Amino acid sequence: MPLKFKKLPLCFYNNDTEKVARELLGKKLVRVLNNKRLSGIIVETEAYLGSTDQACHSRNGIKTKRNASMYLPGGHAYVYFIYGMYFCLNAVTKSSKNAEAVLIRAIEPVEGIELMRKFKNSSKQDLHLTNGPGKLAQSLMIDKTLDGESLKGNNLFIEETGITYKKNEIIKTSRIGISKTNEACDWQLRFYVKDCPYVSKK
DNA sequence: TTATTGATTGACT
DNA sequence: GTCAATCAATAAA
């Protein structure tokens, strides 16, 4: 099997969440629909650190119907509905004890761009298909039906690419969309590829 | 029970 | 820059 079609092993996800978030940059997110591949290179992620992280859905160990997938073992998908209209995709990491995950915020489209355009129904430039968590979910047809799915399955997974970034090519900042009143609003858990036009915000 | 908030986006002043 | 869309979770009453 050629390198470009290699799914990441479970041990990749069963690791320190911040490390997984950083190492997901350059990997390829793949969505398979009707035997067609929609994919893109991950260029922006954020880590969410479970019970101790007040910006995380599983803060203080709370478990609801919405965030139940965060308590699955590493290597599963957590897809949640936000602001009444968008879905966001996360990769669950580590054990089920502390419900940690990595939010995939932006990808650079590679395969199936025509279909992405169709699903998103947008007349704008392709840049806007996947440069944000809600947008990429829309373009790749990611919704609640994928919540809790294994990333070793056939519908949604992440592949090795051979792409690696040097330390000075990765920017580390505070997370997007966290309220200023949240004690975790300044935690440096967002990672993105420097000078990449496909990230959601600079 | 009702009111407010939120890991967002797009349209508009 | 402001603001509406629209719903699950949470807080307030």
Side-chain angles (χ1 to χ4, degrees):
Chain A
M1 196 181 234
L3 178 66
K4 62 177 179 172
F5 291 137
K6 182 155 178 68
K7 283 178 193 170
L8 295 177
L10 287 180
C11 63
F12 177 90
Y13 302 99
N14 291 316
N15 214 322
D16 177 74
T17 301
E18 201 174 328
K19 181 178 156 84
V20 174
R22 186 195 175 286
E23 294 188 350
L24 273 176
L25 297 179
K27 301 295 187 288
K28 184 189 275 185
L29 175 67
V30 184
R31 168 79 165 119
V32 177
L33 266 174
N34 303 323
N35 294 316
K36 291 207 165 58
R37 285 167 58 100
L38 308 180
S39 72
I41 305 298
I42 298 171
V43 296
E44 180 181 353
T45 61
E46 285 178 5
Y48 285 83
L49 304 184
S51 59
T52 59
D53 181 354
Q54 290 303 305
C56 182
H57 292 160
S58 59
R59 61 184 168 279
N60 307 329
I62 57 177
K63 188 172 181 178
T64 65
K65 196 172 184 177
R66 177 177 65 163
N67 74 5
S69 298
M70 293 191 87
Y71 290 84
L72 292 170
H76 283 80
Y78 167 42
V79 180
Y80 66 89
F81 191 49
I82 190 67
Y83 293 118
M85 38 173 43
Y86 296 106
F87 291 99
C88 293
L89 169 68
N90 297 251
V92 178
T93 61
K94 289 171 106 181
S95 74
S96 55
K97 297 265 169 61
N98 200 24
E100 302 188 14
V102 176
L103 171 67
I104 314 291
R105 285 195 56 88
I107 65 176
E108 175 180 343
V110 176
E111 298 166 273
I113 298 177
E114 286 296 332
L115 273 177
M116 293 185 202
R117 236 180 255 143
K118 192 174 155 190
F119 294 145
K120 184 141 196 326
N121 195 22
S122 171
S123 55
K124 294 195 172 178
Q125 295 175 31
D126 292 345
L127 172 72
H128 298 283
L129 289 171
T130 57
N131 65 341
K135 295 187 198 179
L136 77 86
Q138 219 171 18
S139 295
L140 300 192
M141 286 283 270
I142 291 169
D143 61 21
K144 205 67 187 165
T145 63
L146 289 171
D147 185 38
E149 283 236 350
S150 169
L151 294 177
K152 292 290 282 184
N154 295 318
N155 298 317
L156 182 69
F157 46 87
I158 301 174
E159 291 177 344
E160 183 56 78
T161 59
I163 298 173
T164 55
Y165 297 107
K166 296 188 177 68
K167 198 167 185 179
N168 65 2
E169 292 175 304
I170 294 177
I171 310 291
K172 181 178 181 179
T173 65
S174 52
R175 293 173 291 188
I176 304 292
I178 311 299
S179 167
K180 281 291 169 198
T181 61
N182 193 306
E183 67 177 46
C185 70
D186 292 324
W187 291 18
Q188 305 284 293
L189 295 174
R190 174 177 180 237
F191 302 88
Y192 66 87
V193 179
K194 186 182 180 185
D195 297 327
C196 177
Y198 294 92
V199 303
S200 62
K201 289 176 186 170
K202 276 178 263 163

